Structures are given as C-alpha cells and as structure tokens.
Amino acid sequence: GINKVTITIENPDKINTTIDMFRTTRNTYKAVFEDTILIGKYSFVILAIDNSIYKNSTKKSGSFNVIEETQPPVISHFGAEPVVNLKNETIEIFCIATDNMEIKQVQVFITDPSGFLSEHMLALDYDNKYTYINKYEKYGEYSFYVIVTDKAGNFKKSEEKTFWISSDVNDRDNDG
C-alpha cells in the first residue's frame, strides 16, 4: 500500500511549498494549493512512498501556468422599471450580469434632472440579477448607466439609459 504522498510546488520566484496529499478514493490523492498570487509558471513534483520495509518511492513532475484574468464581465440586460413613474413612487434599476470568475460589485450612476450625479450599489437579487430600488422627488428625465466589476478588477460599463418622473405616467416629459 501507499504510506505517504506529497507534492512540492515551486512558484515563479523559485520558492518551494510542500503539501501532504490526502486520499480521496482508492488510488486518487489530492492537495489544495491556493498560493497563486504570482503570475507565471509553477513546477511540481509528486512523491509517493509505499508501506514496504524498503520505503520504495516514485516521482512524477509537471507544471502549470497562472495567468492574469482579463475577461470583463458581461452585461446581458439592464434597465429601469417602470420607465415613467410618479413622484415618490418606486423605480427599480436592474442589471443582469455574469463573469467567468466572480462579480465583485455592480454600481449605478444616476444623473438627476438638475445634473447632480449620484452613485449607488446594486444588491444581488437572484440568479445574476442585481437591483437598486429608490423613490425620486424631482420631476424630469434621469439618465443612468451601470458599471460591473469582477474580482480581478476587470469592468464593463453599459450605455446610458433614461427614466422619467412625471405628474402623469401617460405624460413622460411632464409638459401637460
């Protein structure tokens, strides 16, 4: 049988880390290595030692590369619901976004009718849908866009969209 299995991993700076591997199934061993901060080539040697009195061993070596993640998130849809609403009634700004790694944050930047720009965080609602809900007091057109940022710092900025606050939902620009 097998007595011990270890893996020694050399990072791009030539620093070694040795980890005891553990058995997951009859002939499968596993180790978790998370110290992949450095970009570049990592080399490894797996050493297996048997239970015999001779402590026979065998080694296998290999390598893997850690690369910088550069894919920006994907914004599949975003908008405001409803597009026209009454003063002090709820507007929901939503964004459906995905990333090949993980989304860190979704922000909305809203410019009110007087030109004031505000920034808000959208909360994860469910299944890649992020929402921000608020009520607005000023009549007129509000413009907004979202920025989705992933854990690697990559980001995607949407185009600009608008919603209206009016005294009549059938009169978008509140001109009577």
Side-chain angles (χ1 to χ4, degrees), residues 7-12 14 16 41-45 62-64:
I7 184 169
T8 301
I9 302 171
E10 181 182 84
N11 75 12
K14 306 295 184 199
N16 290 333
K41 184 178 181 178
Y42 289 71
S43 300
F44 64 87
V45 175
S63 65
F64 59 90

Side-chain angles (χ1 to χ4, degrees), residues 28-116:
T28 304
Y29 287 78
K30 182 179 179 179
V32 177
F33 178 72
E34 296 177 334
D35 188 13
T36 56
I37 300 295
L38 297 174
I39 304 297
K41 184 178 181 178
Y42 289 71
S43 300
F44 64 87
V45 175
I46 298 172
L47 173 66
I49 303 170
D50 71 11
N51 280 330
S52 74
I53 60 170
Y54 303 108
K55 301 294 183 204
N56 298 309
S57 65
T58 187
K59 291 181 180 181
K60 290 288 182 183
S61 60
S63 65
F64 59 90
N65 289 310
V66 173
I67 60 173
E68 185 174 6
E69 200 280 305
T70 59
Q71 285 290 108
V74 174
I75 299 171
S76 37
H77 188 59
F78 81 103
E81 289 291 330
V83 175
V84 180
N85 210 350
L86 303 174
K87 182 177 175 179
N88 291 319
E89 292 293 324
T90 300
I91 297 277
E92 176 187 67
I93 295 175
F94 66 91
C95 176
I96 299 171
T98 56
D99 188 63
N100 63 334
M101 298 294 283
E102 185 179 350
I103 290 177
K104 178 180 178 183
Q105 66 183 18
V106 179
Q107 300 164 280
V108 62
F109 295 81
I110 303 169
T111 303
D112 74 13
S114 67
F116 177 76

